[in-house]
Amino acid sequence: MRVVSLVPSLTEAVARTAPGLLVGVTDWCTHPAGLSAARIGGTKNPDVAAIAALAPDLVIANEEENRAPDLAELRAAGLTVLVTEVRTLHQAFTELDRVLVGGCGLARPSWLDEAEAAWAALPAPAGEPRPAVVPIWRRPWMVLGRDTFAGDLLARLGVRNVYADHPERYPRIPIDELNASGAELVVLPDEPYRFTADDGPEAFPVLPAALVGGRLLTWYGPSLAEAARELPSALR
């Protein structure tokens, strides 16, 4: 089988399970290292002609990371496109099974069972959830809003996104509003914007900052087991 992946998380999932299937991946597919598949552009600007030339049996995509017009163009070229939706941890496990088992025809991998077991084994958060803001960009400041996979992970770990009810999924919020939001914590991932100890915490002078790996917070795939092990301590 020949597979093109337009989603870094799904690229890692397929590569971990059956690396020989991948014939094309995006420029943003960084895991695992040393991928030999052809690069076919970005998640938002894939080279449709290059993808079609690879003659894949399946193109795997995501409704948030990939644009509907690009997916329509791939279908118009006669390609089979499997589009995932991942906005909760439960959806991540369900969609990974759908991609790997249903789409790629593989046996369910042990790493997926291990990741699901790792999250199921975590104790329920004690006490009231800790309100937090979760920036994903600055200049302008953008934060997690409603209905996001990362927000669902944080809620399972006792952290409440104060913008979880915002009408937008990734709203732009001025920094003074973020600091006046009632948050007791700022969670700063290192992607898509690379927040560091020297770039981000200074904008929130009265809030403790939790610097976390963006891959652990936003990727769904083999990193899920690592996320269950490392995120709880990173958020303390």
Side-chain angles (χ1 to χ4, degrees), residues 140-201:
W141 286 96
M142 298 176 65
V143 299
L144 291 186
R146 64 169 181 85
D147 199 19
T148 66
F149 171 71
D152 185 65
L153 288 195
L154 290 170
R156 294 170 184 272
L157 299 172
V159 176
R160 177 179 63 83
N161 173 19
V162 299
Y163 290 99
D165 295 325
H166 195 281
E168 298 178 26
R169 296 186 68 206
Y170 302 101
R172 298 183 181 188
I173 308 291
I175 189 63
D176 58 340
E177 290 186 29
L178 295 179
N179 277 299
S181 66
E184 298 174 5
L185 175 72
V186 56
V187 179
L188 297 170
D190 62 9
E191 61 175 73
Y193 185 91
R194 187 171 180 78
F195 288 106
T196 68
D198 300 319
D199 185 356

Side-chain angles (χ1 to χ4, degrees), residues 7-188:
V7 186
S9 294
L10 298 179
T11 295
E12 185 179 18
V14 174
R16 173 75 176 270
T17 309
L21 269 59
L22 288 169
V23 296
V25 299
T26 76
D27 297 338
W28 299 105
C29 293
T30 56
H31 289 74
L35 282 169
S36 60
R39 299 289 173 165
I40 47 74
T43 56
K44 300 290 194 268
N45 58 344
D47 186 333
V48 172
I51 294 170
L54 291 170
D57 300 296
L58 182 68
V59 178
I60 50 179
N62 176 263
E63 51 88 29
E64 176 180 0
E65 295 201 46
N66 308 119
R67 302 185 313 141
D70 295 324
L71 303 182
E73 192 174 348
L74 288 166
R75 291 191 179 99
L79 302 180
T80 299
V81 182
L82 189 161
V83 182
T84 59
E85 178 183 283
V86 179
R87 301 189 183 190
T88 67
L89 180 64
H90 175 73
Q91 274 189 314
F93 292 132
T94 300
E95 292 287 67
L96 284 165
D97 186 273
R98 185 165 75 98
V99 167
L100 298 171
V101 179
C104 297
L106 302 170
R108 182 179 167 94
S110 59
W111 65 258
L112 184 53
D113 292 328
E114 291 163 5
E116 198 161 1
W119 279 93
L122 288 178
E128 289 295 315
R130 192 178 187 188
V133 291
V134 191
I136 59 168
W137 203 258
R138 68 182 301 176
R139 305 181 192 94
W141 286 96
M142 298 176 65
V143 299
L144 291 186
R146 64 169 181 85
D147 199 19
T148 66
F149 171 71
D152 185 65
L153 288 195
L154 290 170
R156 294 170 184 272
L157 299 172
V159 176
R160 177 179 63 83
N161 173 19
V162 299
Y163 290 99
D165 295 325
H166 195 281
E168 298 178 26
R169 296 186 68 206
Y170 302 101
R172 298 183 181 188
I173 308 291
I175 189 63
D176 58 340
E177 290 186 29
L178 295 179
N179 277 299
S181 66
E184 298 174 5
L185 175 72
V186 56
V187 179
L188 297 170

